[in-house]
Amino acid sequence: MLAPGDGSKPSQRRFAAGVRLYPSGAGTGAPVVQAPQRPDRDAMVMMSGLLLLGAVAVASFGQGAVFSTMQWLVAALIAVAFAVAVAVRPLSVAELRGGIVIAGLSLAVWALLRAAQAGTPVTGFSWALFGAGTAAAVSVCRRLDIATRGTLLGGAFTVGIVVAATGWLGVALHERPWGLPSQGLWRASSTLTYANAAAALLVPLALVALSRLAATPGPAYLSLAATSLLAGAGATLSRAGAAAFVAGFLVLCGLRGARVVVRAAAGPLAGAGVVLLGLVPSMSAAGPARPLVAAIALAAGLALAVLMPRIRGRAWGLLAAGAALAAGLIVVYQAPGVHSALRALAGTRFNLASPDRSGETGAALRLIGQHPLAGVGPGHATLRWTGPGGGLRVDRYVHDGYLQVLTDLGIIGAALLAIFMAAAGRLLWRARVDLPLPALWAGAVAGVTAFAVHSGFDFLWQVPAIPLTVAVLAGLAAPSITRSAARAP
């Protein structure tokens, strides 16, 4: 059974032995009773969900599965989960007509063919995993019952919290590779070992947590989860992550109501702000780590997130004053470290300048112009440009997923990607008509929006943990395969 905060109605959370109730699609208001399922089928459904959760965990804790060994393991877990799920509920013509399975498989086949043509068939596997792997993840999620969906979502939150915690430890303790210095600052890179990728993983999960919190205000575990995810994303100091969160948050406000969402998000946002303030003295690469200050701020931030929804009236002002005083004391007490970190933050993160990204974009456009139809092939892009100091710069990836697919797979690959994304968007759009879990749906739409925005600023699709996590969120919110069968008279 889903925990409180899932946004579902009481009738949608009632389960009897072998009986599941859903709202009627005929407008009569009468419940529709699904025929009892055999225990072995229920166990197989649960197994497919747990295998998919295992794939998410392995990818997230294994450097995002950017290396081939982890990619093969993740692909194997997804393949077994898909086989088990389809064995229980086979693919239907209607599901294939939806397009996401065929589009994802087509993108995977084209990437493998293009890589084989270029003489390095293995290099197309990450694109194949992006296309076929995410389509398979969505298909598995659509075959899960509501209870298993809740288990999978809780597991995804747990994975995200662990990723956020390792990033926090990396900055607070100057622990590599969970934290890495960049441009004079320690940034949280977590188990993904890349700060921007960690932000891209955490932001969609945080938006889903905020959506559920808006649906059912009050649960401490949701407040703690949302605060942890937001603080972990903030510790990455990713500008694209911040822009993606703002975009997703605005979408969430539009879907759930701005007043409700802002009220629910106030505690986690304030708590995450306190946690991040405690990390500032440890962010300077020129100074020592300040783990005690970070730990005190972490405890204060988590407590603030839990207490804020429970305090009314004048206590709000007292609480805000106390939080401001505590923050001021932290800053004053560690002034030398804070000043150094703030100077580095202002010079590198609080601006839009990025000469290397501009050079990568120009180099990618030149390659696309030379190989417009089929691209240069996966893994064969060599981007060369002149840096600000006149030196030659070389890189493999563009900090833009949309340009990367044009560079690697050409116009053909970009067209297949557009069809794939359109099919996924259509699937989510259809889900709005009859929502078993409206809070999850709104959070998933906001998370997918954030992912789409962030993809324009980083090469996220070559880090399988990120699209796989987003695919799980989208699949959990998508229309269930079982519900169409349950509506039979």
Side-chain angles (χ1 to χ4, degrees), residues 115-124 378-380:
Q117 184 184 19
T120 52
V122 177
T123 58
H380 286 266

Side-chain angles (χ1 to χ4, degrees), residues 77-311:
L77 288 170
I78 295 174
V80 175
F82 181 74
V84 171
V86 171
V88 177
R89 300 183 179 93
L91 289 169
S92 65
V93 175
E95 185 179 2
L96 293 175
R97 196 181 301 146
I100 187 170
V101 174
I102 295 177
L105 185 60
S106 299
L107 178 61
V109 170
W110 170 246
L112 292 174
L113 288 175
R114 188 66 189 89
Q117 184 184 19
T120 52
V122 177
T123 58
F125 191 68
S126 60
W127 278 115
L129 190 55
F130 172 76
T134 53
V138 171
S139 187
V140 170
C141 291
R142 295 188 65 194
R143 285 166 166 75
L144 304 180
D145 54 40
I146 293 183
T148 309
R149 290 189 184 207
T151 301
L152 180 52
L153 180 61
F157 279 153
T158 302
V159 170
I161 290 170
V162 173
V163 170
T166 55
W168 179 88
L169 286 170
V171 177
L173 301 177
H174 288 187
E175 183 69 29
R176 298 171 184 261
W178 293 349
L180 292 173
S182 173
Q183 296 178 308
L185 292 167
W186 278 87
R187 300 173 59 188
S189 50
S190 74
T191 54
L192 280 76
T193 65
Y194 175 42
N196 291 334
L201 180 78
L202 295 174
V203 166
L205 289 169
L207 289 167
V208 174
L210 291 178
S211 182
R212 294 187 66 198
L213 195 59
T216 308
Y221 73 92
L222 273 180
S223 297
L224 292 173
T227 305
S228 301
L229 294 168
L230 288 169
T236 65
L237 302 180
S238 171
R239 294 171 292 185
F245 175 76
V246 171
F249 190 79
L250 291 175
V251 169
L252 186 59
C253 288
L255 295 174
R256 303 293 295 172
R259 180 175 298 180
V260 174
V261 173
V262 170
R263 185 185 299 120
L269 286 172
V274 172
V275 174
L276 292 175
L277 182 62
L279 279 180
V280 171
S282 299
M283 286 182 180
S284 175
R290 307 287 183 179
L292 180 59
V293 176
I296 293 172
L298 174 65
L302 294 176
L304 178 63
V306 173
L307 292 175
M308 278 189 70
R310 292 166 170 75
I311 298 178

